[in-house]
Amino acid sequence: ISQASQVRPNPLVRAFRYAQVAMIDYADGVMMILQRRGSVFPQSFLFTLPSLFLTIGLIALSEEVPDASSTIAEIIQSDFSTSQVWSAMTLVLIITTTFRTTQALQRFWEGTSLLHQMRGEWFDSVSCLVAFSRASMEEKREEVLQFRHTLVRLTSMMHGSALDEICCNLEASQTVIDLHGLDLATLQLLRECDSLGFNKVEALQHLIQNLITYNQAIGILSVPPPILSRVYQTLSRGLVNLLNCKKISVTRFPFPWAQIICLLLLFHSLITPMMVVSIIRNYACALIVTFVPVFGLISLNIVSSQLEMPFGDDTNDLPLAYFQEQMNRALLLLLSVEADHISGIRENALNDFSRMLHFINGKVDVKRSGSRALLDRSMELEILSEWKQEEAKMDVAAAKDEVKEEKPPEPQPAPAPAPAPAPAAPAPVPAPKLDLSRLLEQLQRSTDALQSNTKATQIVSDIITGGARSLAEVSCIEDPVM
């Protein structure tokens, strides 16, 4: 059994270890130069110090011993300044260092891509199996829960053992989900894999395939075999990604190439000060000109040596503990009660295609925060106001239809035979006008208060005003005098 299963680490120790192996977060800017974690500046500066001391010594020698300085200057001028020896050597060193840096970056990105693919393939397999077992939850609840918990523990240990296998640190061990919850026969089998020299990841994948086949036979996984075969394919692809990771961890950068770069860096560190002193005699300028090329090439070589092995324990390597932590959390999600939830829509959800098309065509402001999308509240109010607008139009149209269908009331007989009033000057009816003016004043105040609101609120106020006028017209029609 792996070391993680034998000793349960202290949460504080685990948090400190997680912080040590997490990827370095930084922001581009001048202050980034002062960040120490993950920086190669201290190590590169130590290797650059001999060149700086040699530069200072040559300048001091040329000043204190005139005869010696003239002889050194003559040798330097004749052998280095007029020839292209230093330039040719520097060019060869730049080409070899650039090639190593390019290969290191390719290995680094390939390593992180393979780790993500491996995790995705294995999680997809477990997710499909949990979904396949949902149909048997009501009839065989205990068997389904036992299958899921066993599958999650085996997958967590398989992923952690895979990371331990590719890690260059032999003492590293990943945290798995309740490994002691497995039965004793399984734990004994895994212990024998270490003593017999078997690959633990391959043994765990075989146990998972046996578990899937058995539960499919007893009816826990009630899916057709062609659909279930996809799970076996994703499991195999995850193992293939692991083998490609092992290819990176086992195959190092060629030793002769690294040896040539180391030798050229040594010569470059010795010759550069001599070349600079033959041109510049000022201490500050000579130190700066010597420091820049030597420090730059040494830094690139150190960075390349760290990135070409992305599964190590350097601060710039991939955070394997982070990958295991994310895998464990994803697997625990599948054991929660919400994992069997069937999603649906609400009763007042959009069902009309035209409204849904109107919903996505510039009517919703989507604010993204990470992988989440939140709808802006003002746009939601706008959509609701448009729905209210359509309902108000339908109500006004229905009211007009009812008024048209009603017959006009019969005129009341006059109490006394009085002559009819002149039609040119009808008597005003004060009550309807007073009600209408009061209503218009209220609507005017509401419209003034909503002028600074969104376009949707303005549309709603116009609809309310139109509805009020329609009601006024209806009241005039119902009045016999009017």
Side-chain angles (χ1 to χ4, degrees):
I1 308 175
S2 63
Q3 184 180 355
S5 63
Q6 296 178 358
V7 180
R8 296 180 181 272
N10 190 344
L12 296 178
V13 176
R14 215 178 91 185
F16 175 76
R17 177 186 166 199
Y18 176 79
Q20 289 295 107
V21 298
M23 287 296 293
I24 301 173
D25 188 16
Y26 64 93
D28 293 333
V30 180
M31 300 303 297
M32 181 178 59
I33 302 176
L34 304 178
Q35 185 172 347
R36 293 188 58 185
R37 184 167 179 259
S39 176
V40 298
F41 288 171
Q43 188 176 1
S44 301
F45 183 75
L46 291 177
F47 286 104
T48 312
L49 284 178
S51 299
L52 299 180
F53 291 151
L54 182 59
T55 302
I56 296 174
L58 290 176
I59 295 177
L61 182 62
S62 62
E63 292 179 353
E64 296 295 335
V65 185
D67 297 335
S69 61
S70 60
T71 305
I72 295 174
E74 182 180 357
I75 295 174
I76 293 175
Q77 291 289 341
S78 61
D79 293 341
F80 296 102
S81 179
T82 58
S83 64
Q84 300 297 325
V85 176
W86 183 85
S87 300
M89 183 189 61
T90 305
L91 179 61
V92 173
L93 181 58
I94 291 175
I95 293 175
T96 54
T97 306
T98 303
F99 176 77
R100 185 177 185 179
T101 304
T102 304
Q103 294 297 316
L105 289 175
Q106 291 179 358
R107 288 163 63 94
F108 184 85
W109 287 112
E110 184 181 2
T112 184
S113 300
L114 292 173
L115 285 182
H116 282 88
Q117 292 174 7
M118 180 182 70
R119 172 193 162 194
E121 297 288 354
W122 285 345
F123 174 77
D124 181 60
S125 301
V126 179
S127 177
C128 291
L129 292 172
V130 171
F132 294 160
S133 64
R134 188 187 183 281
S136 305
M137 179 63 76
E138 297 181 359
E139 299 178 357
K140 304 177 180 180
R141 181 178 180 84
E142 295 297 331
E143 291 81 356
V144 170
L145 291 179
Q146 184 178 4
F147 165 71
R148 291 182 177 181
H149 281 267
T150 306
L151 178 64
V152 165
R153 285 166 172 81
L154 291 177
T155 306
S156 176
M157 185 178 183
M158 181 174 64
H159 189 268
S161 300
L163 296 181
D164 291 341
E165 188 173 341
I166 63 177
C167 184
C168 299
N169 188 4
L170 299 179
E171 297 180 359
S173 60
Q174 306 301 328
T175 304
V176 298
I177 299 176
D178 191 23
L179 182 59
H180 295 283
L182 295 173
D183 59 280
L184 295 179
T186 303
L187 296 178
Q188 181 65 27
L189 176 61
L190 296 176
R191 182 181 291 110
E192 292 178 355
C193 290
D194 291 337
S195 60
L196 297 177
F198 295 151
N199 189 280
K200 189 181 295 184
V201 178
E202 296 173 356
L204 286 167
Q205 182 164 356
H206 181 70
L207 291 177
I208 293 174
Q209 291 177 350
N210 286 341
L211 182 67
I212 297 171
T213 305
Y214 173 75
N215 284 271
Q216 196 271 341
I218 64 176
I220 301 298
L221 301 175
S222 56
V223 292
I227 298 178
L228 188 61
S229 63
R230 180 181 177 274
V231 176
Y232 295 100
Q233 295 176 1
T234 53
L235 286 173
S236 64
R237 287 200 296 265
L239 183 60
V240 170
N241 292 327
L242 172 61
L243 295 178
N244 288 327
C245 290
K246 291 178 63 177
K247 176 189 67 175
I248 297 177
S249 62
V250 173
T251 307
R252 299 196 59 181
F253 189 76
F255 169 74
W257 198 283
Q259 188 180 34
I260 292 174
I261 294 177
C262 183
L263 182 62
L264 291 177
L265 283 174
L266 179 60
F267 285 149
H268 185 265
S269 301
L270 296 176
I271 298 176
T272 301
M274 301 174 65
M275 188 65 191
V276 172
V277 170
S278 66
I279 303 174
I280 304 173
R281 297 301 177 88
N282 183 269
Y283 281 97
C285 295
L287 289 177
I288 294 175
V289 175
T290 304
F291 176 79
V292 171
V294 176
F295 179 82
L297 292 174
I298 291 177
S299 299
L300 288 177
N301 187 59
I302 295 175
V303 171
S304 301
S305 64
Q306 293 183 3
L307 296 184
E308 67 190 13
M309 189 56 63
F311 309 121
D313 53 357
D314 296 329
T315 54
N316 292 313
D317 291 333
L318 295 176
L320 300 183
Y322 171 80
F323 284 96
Q324 181 67 17
E325 181 75 15
Q326 295 299 313
M327 185 64 174
N328 289 337
R329 292 185 180 275
L331 293 174
L332 288 177
L333 170 65
L334 301 178
L335 293 180
S336 62
V337 180
E338 291 78 7
D340 294 327
H341 173 70
I342 302 299
S343 302
I345 61 175
R346 296 185 294 180
E347 295 180 357
N348 58 347
L350 291 176
N351 293 325
D352 184 67
F353 175 77
S354 60
R355 290 186 177 182
M356 296 178 69
L357 187 63
H358 180 69
F359 184 81
I360 64 175
N361 286 338
K363 294 299 181 181
V364 178
D365 184 16
V366 179
K367 294 182 177 180
R368 300 191 176 275
S369 176
S371 60
R372 301 177 181 178
L374 302 178
L375 300 179
D376 188 76
R377 183 61 181 169
S378 62
M379 293 302 177
E380 291 182 355
L381 294 176
E382 181 179 351
I383 295 173
L384 293 176
S385 65
E386 291 179 359
W387 294 349
K388 292 181 180 179
Q389 175 186 356
E390 295 180 1
E391 293 178 357
K393 288 182 179 179
M394 295 174 62
D395 294 339
V396 172
K400 288 183 178 180
D401 294 339
E402 292 179 0
V403 171
K404 290 181 180 180
E405 292 178 358
E406 293 180 357
K407 296 180 180 180
E410 297 180 358
Q412 299 291 335
V429 181
K433 289 185 178 180
L434 291 175
D435 295 338
L436 183 59
S437 62
R438 186 182 300 108
L439 180 61
L440 291 176
E441 289 177 0
Q442 294 178 356
L443 293 176
Q444 184 63 31
R445 288 196 299 268
S446 301
T447 304
D448 295 338
L450 295 175
Q451 285 181 356
S452 61
N453 207 338
T454 58
K455 180 181 178 182
T457 308
Q458 296 178 1
I459 296 175
V460 174
S461 63
D462 294 339
I463 294 303
I464 295 175
T465 306
R469 293 177 181 175
S470 300
L471 293 176
E473 294 176 0
V474 172
S475 62
C476 293
I477 293 174
E478 293 179 352
D479 194 348
V481 179
M482 295 297 294

